[in-house]
Coordinates of all heavy atoms in Angstrom, one line a residue:
Chain Z
P212 N -11.0 -24.8 -19.0 CA -10.8 -26.0 -19.9 C -11.7 -27.1 -19.5 O -12.4 -27.1 -18.3 CB -9.3 -26.3 -19.5 CG -8.9 -25.7 -18.3 CD -9.8 -24.5 -18.2
R213 N -11.8 -28.0 -20.3 CA -12.8 -29.2 -20.0 C -12.3 -29.9 -18.9 O -13.2 -30.5 -18.1 CB -12.7 -30.2 -21.2 CG -13.2 -29.7 -22.6 CD -14.7 -29.6 -22.6 NE -15.3 -29.2 -23.9 CZ -15.6 -28.0 -24.3 NH1 -15.3 -27.0 -23.4 NH2 -16.0 -27.8 -25.4
E225 N -13.4 -37.1 -20.6 CA -13.9 -37.8 -21.8 C -15.5 -37.8 -21.7 O -16.2 -37.5 -22.8 CB -13.5 -39.3 -21.8 CG -12.0 -39.4 -22.2 CD -11.1 -39.6 -20.9 OE1 -11.6 -39.0 -19.9 OE2 -10.2 -40.2 -21.0
S228 N -16.8 -34.5 -22.6 CA -16.6 -34.1 -24.2 C -17.9 -34.9 -24.9 O -18.5 -34.4 -25.6 CB -15.2 -34.7 -24.6 OG -15.1 -34.4 -25.9
R229 N -17.9 -36.1 -24.4 CA -18.9 -37.0 -25.1 C -20.3 -36.4 -25.0 O -21.2 -36.4 -25.8 CB -19.0 -38.5 -24.5 CG -18.1 -39.4 -25.3 CD -18.2 -40.8 -24.7 NE -17.2 -41.2 -23.8 CZ -16.0 -41.7 -24.2 NH1 -15.7 -41.9 -25.5 NH2 -15.2 -42.0 -23.2
S232 N -20.9 -33.6 -27.1 CA -21.3 -34.1 -28.5 C -22.7 -34.6 -28.6 O -23.4 -34.2 -29.6 CB -20.2 -35.2 -28.7 OG -19.0 -34.6 -28.7
Chain T
dA34 P -3.0 -27.9 -22.4 OP1 -2.9 -26.9 -21.3 OP2 -2.7 -29.4 -22.2 O5' -4.5 -27.9 -22.9 C5' -4.9 -26.9 -23.9 C4' -6.1 -27.4 -24.7 O4' -5.6 -28.3 -25.7 C3' -7.1 -28.3 -23.8 O3' -8.4 -27.6 -23.9 C2' -6.9 -29.7 -24.4 C1' -6.5 -29.4 -25.8 N9 -5.6 -30.6 -26.2 C8 -4.6 -31.2 -25.6 N7 -4.0 -32.1 -26.3 C5 -4.8 -32.1 -27.5 C6 -4.7 -32.9 -28.6 N6 -4.0 -33.9 -28.8 N1 -5.6 -32.7 -29.7 C2 -6.5 -31.6 -29.5 N3 -6.6 -30.8 -28.4 C4 -5.8 -31.2 -27.4
dC35 P -9.7 -28.4 -23.2 OP1 -10.5 -27.3 -23.1 OP2 -9.2 -29.3 -22.1 O5' -10.3 -29.2 -24.4 C5' -10.8 -28.5 -25.5 C4' -11.0 -29.6 -26.7 O4' -9.9 -30.4 -26.8 C3' -12.2 -30.5 -26.3 O3' -13.2 -30.1 -27.2 C2' -11.6 -31.9 -26.4 C1' -10.3 -31.7 -27.3 N1 -9.3 -32.6 -27.0 C2 -9.0 -33.5 -28.1 O2 -9.6 -33.6 -29.1 N3 -8.0 -34.4 -27.9 C4 -7.3 -34.5 -26.8 N4 -6.3 -35.4 -26.7 C5 -7.6 -33.6 -25.7 C6 -8.6 -32.7 -25.9
dT36 P -14.6 -31.2 -27.1 OP1 -15.6 -30.3 -27.8 OP2 -14.8 -31.6 -25.6 O5' -14.2 -32.4 -28.0 C5' -14.1 -32.2 -29.4 C4' -13.8 -33.7 -30.1 O4' -12.7 -34.2 -29.5 C3' -15.1 -34.6 -29.8 O3' -15.4 -34.9 -31.2 C2' -14.4 -35.7 -29.1 C1' -12.9 -35.6 -29.4 N1 -11.9 -36.1 -28.5 C2 -11.0 -37.1 -28.8 O2 -11.0 -37.7 -29.9 N3 -10.2 -37.5 -27.8 C4 -10.0 -36.9 -26.5 O4 -9.1 -37.3 -25.8 C5 -11.0 -35.9 -26.2 C7 -11.0 -35.3 -24.8 C6 -11.9 -35.5 -27.2
dT37 P -16.7 -35.7 -31.5 OP1 -17.3 -35.3 -32.8 OP2 -17.7 -35.6 -30.3 O5' -16.3 -37.2 -31.6 C5' -15.1 -37.6 -32.5 C4' -14.7 -39.0 -32.2 O4' -13.8 -38.9 -31.2 C3' -15.7 -40.0 -31.9 O3' -15.7 -41.0 -32.9 C2' -15.4 -40.6 -30.6 C1' -13.9 -40.2 -30.5 N1 -13.3 -40.2 -29.2 C2 -12.2 -40.8 -28.9 O2 -11.5 -41.6 -29.6 N3 -11.7 -40.7 -27.6 C4 -12.2 -39.7 -26.7 O4 -11.8 -39.6 -25.5 C5 -13.4 -39.0 -27.1 C7 -14.1 -38.1 -26.1 C6 -13.9 -39.3 -28.2
dG38 P -16.8 -42.1 -33.1 OP1 -17.2 -42.4 -34.6 OP2 -17.9 -41.9 -32.2 O5' -15.9 -43.4 -32.5 C5' -14.7 -43.6 -33.3 C4' -14.0 -44.8 -32.4 O4' -13.5 -44.2 -31.3 C3' -15.0 -45.9 -32.0 O3' -14.5 -47.2 -32.5 C2' -15.1 -45.7 -30.5 C1' -13.6 -45.3 -30.2 N9 -13.6 -44.5 -28.9 C8 -14.5 -43.5 -28.5 N7 -14.1 -43.0 -27.4 C5 -13.0 -43.8 -27.0 C6 -12.3 -43.8 -25.7 O6 -12.3 -43.1 -24.8 N1 -11.2 -44.8 -25.8 C2 -11.0 -45.7 -26.9 N2 -10.0 -46.5 -26.7 N3 -11.7 -45.7 -27.9 C4 -12.7 -44.8 -28.0
dA39 P -15.2 -48.6 -32.3 OP1 -15.0 -49.4 -33.6 OP2 -16.4 -48.4 -31.8 O5' -14.2 -49.2 -31.1 C5' -12.9 -49.2 -31.2 C4' -12.4 -50.0 -30.0 O4' -12.3 -49.2 -28.8 C3' -13.2 -51.3 -29.6 O3' -12.3 -52.2 -29.2 C2' -14.0 -50.7 -28.5 C1' -13.0 -49.7 -27.9 N9 -13.7 -48.6 -27.1 C8 -14.8 -47.9 -27.5 N7 -15.1 -47.0 -26.6 C5 -14.1 -47.0 -25.7 C6 -13.9 -46.3 -24.5 N6 -14.7 -45.3 -24.1 N1 -12.9 -46.6 -23.7 C2 -12.1 -47.6 -24.1 N3 -12.2 -48.4 -25.2 C4 -13.3 -48.0 -26.0
dG45 P -24.0 -47.2 -6.4 OP1 -24.1 -45.8 -6.1 OP2 -24.0 -48.2 -5.2 O5' -25.0 -47.5 -7.4 C5' -25.1 -46.8 -8.6 C4' -26.0 -47.6 -9.6 O4' -25.4 -48.9 -9.9 C3' -27.4 -47.9 -9.0 O3' -28.5 -47.6 -10.0 C2' -27.4 -49.4 -8.6 C1' -26.4 -50.0 -9.6 N9 -25.6 -51.1 -9.0 C8 -24.8 -51.0 -8.0 N7 -24.2 -52.1 -7.7 C5 -24.7 -53.0 -8.7 C6 -24.5 -54.4 -8.9 O6 -23.7 -55.1 -8.3 N1 -25.1 -54.9 -10.1 C2 -25.9 -54.1 -10.8 N2 -26.5 -54.7 -11.9 N3 -26.2 -52.8 -10.7 C4 -25.6 -52.4 -9.5

Side-chain angles (χ1 to χ4, degrees):
Chain Z
R213 295 287 189 267
E225 292 95 331
S228 186
R229 268 189 262 273
S232 300

